[in-house]
């Protein structure tokens, strides 16, 4: 197991912090360790509504604190239940711009008891930075995160 995975697991398994604090620490660690992760945050299903609500994040403030299902990349993942990698946001017609600096995005759903309950959203200021290794790491992370929710 990679060093980064071990460090992420130690955050998630820490008895000292509540869930919100753990998720914030996860965002900080990813932000520090992966240079092209320029905005890292979680969105979660907002109660019974077909919308996402912003959770812990690291990066520039965003106006997108609520995202309706189907809108933007995050909203699409809430509907499709599949990881969505956008190498160049300028090529994506249903993109919600958080920052003029964002060039690429990856969104990975979080499942609990078979239901899509949220996601991790990463923006990058670099075109096409995300690797298969990044995708696998984030999918693994979302599986681990679901265990503490």
């Amino acid at each position: 197991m990679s060093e980064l995975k071990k460090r992420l697991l130690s955050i998630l398994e820490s008895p000292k912090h509540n869930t919100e604090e753990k998720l914030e620490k996860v965002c900080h660690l990813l932000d520090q360790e992966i240079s092209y992760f320029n905005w890292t945050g979680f969105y979660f299903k907002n109660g019974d509504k077909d919308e996402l609500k912003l959770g812990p994040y690291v990066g520039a403030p965003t106006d997108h604190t609520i995202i309706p299902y189907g809108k933007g990349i995050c909203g699409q993942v809430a509907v499709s239940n599949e990881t969505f990698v956008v190498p160049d946001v300028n090529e994506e017609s249903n993109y919600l711009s958080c920052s003029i600096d964002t060039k690429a995005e990856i969104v990975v759903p979080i499942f609990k008891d078979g239901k899509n309950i949220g996601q991790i959203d990463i923006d990058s200021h670099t075109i096409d930075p995300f690797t298969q290794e990044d995708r696998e790491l984030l999918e693994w992370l979302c599986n681990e995160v679901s265990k503490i929710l």
Side-chain angles (χ1 to χ4, degrees):
M1 181 183 291
S2 75
E3 184 61 32
L4 182 55
K5 279 186 177 179
K6 285 180 189 163
R7 291 170 67 195
L8 288 164
L9 264 184
S10 74
I11 290 170
L12 295 175
E13 293 171 350
S14 167
K16 293 189 303 225
H17 301 100
N18 67 32
T19 301
E20 187 103 350
E21 291 167 333
K22 289 177 184 182
L23 295 178
E24 194 167 305
K25 286 179 177 296
V26 163
C27 292
H28 277 284
L29 181 58
L30 290 172
D31 183 68
Q32 289 166 356
E33 293 298 317
I34 304 177
S35 62
Y36 49 88
F37 282 22
N38 302 114
W39 191 97
T40 302
F42 289 93
Y43 282 93
F44 292 100
K45 183 168 174 40
N46 191 11
D48 292 334
K49 300 176 186 163
D50 284 341
E51 65 185 24
L52 297 163
K53 185 175 183 182
L54 181 62
Y57 73 94
V58 171
T62 177
D63 293 337
H64 300 124
T65 56
I66 300 288
I67 299 176
Y69 280 18
K71 280 275 191 211
I73 309 308
C74 292
Q76 288 179 71
V77 169
V79 174
S80 73
N81 299 322
E82 293 176 4
T83 297
F84 197 164
V85 181
V86 182
D88 182 352
V89 296
N90 292 319
E91 304 293 317
E92 192 58 44
S93 61
N94 191 15
Y95 172 67
L96 287 177
S97 177
C98 290
S99 161
I100 57 166
D101 296 322
T102 299
K103 304 283 190 275
E105 184 172 12
I106 182 171
V107 179
V108 179
I110 301 169
F111 295 96
K112 181 87 176 173
D113 302 324
K115 292 188 175 75
N116 184 341
I117 59 160
Q119 53 198 227
I120 192 167
D121 176 22
I122 315 272
D123 292 354
S124 179
H125 297 170
T126 305
I127 288 182
D128 198 13
F130 303 114
T131 64
Q132 183 62 30
E133 191 176 61
D134 294 330
R135 181 184 179 132
E136 288 167 7
L137 172 71
L138 294 171
E139 288 175 346
W140 170 86
L141 175 62
C142 286
N143 186 54
E144 294 302 316
V145 165
S146 74
K147 296 173 185 176
I148 67 162
L149 298 175

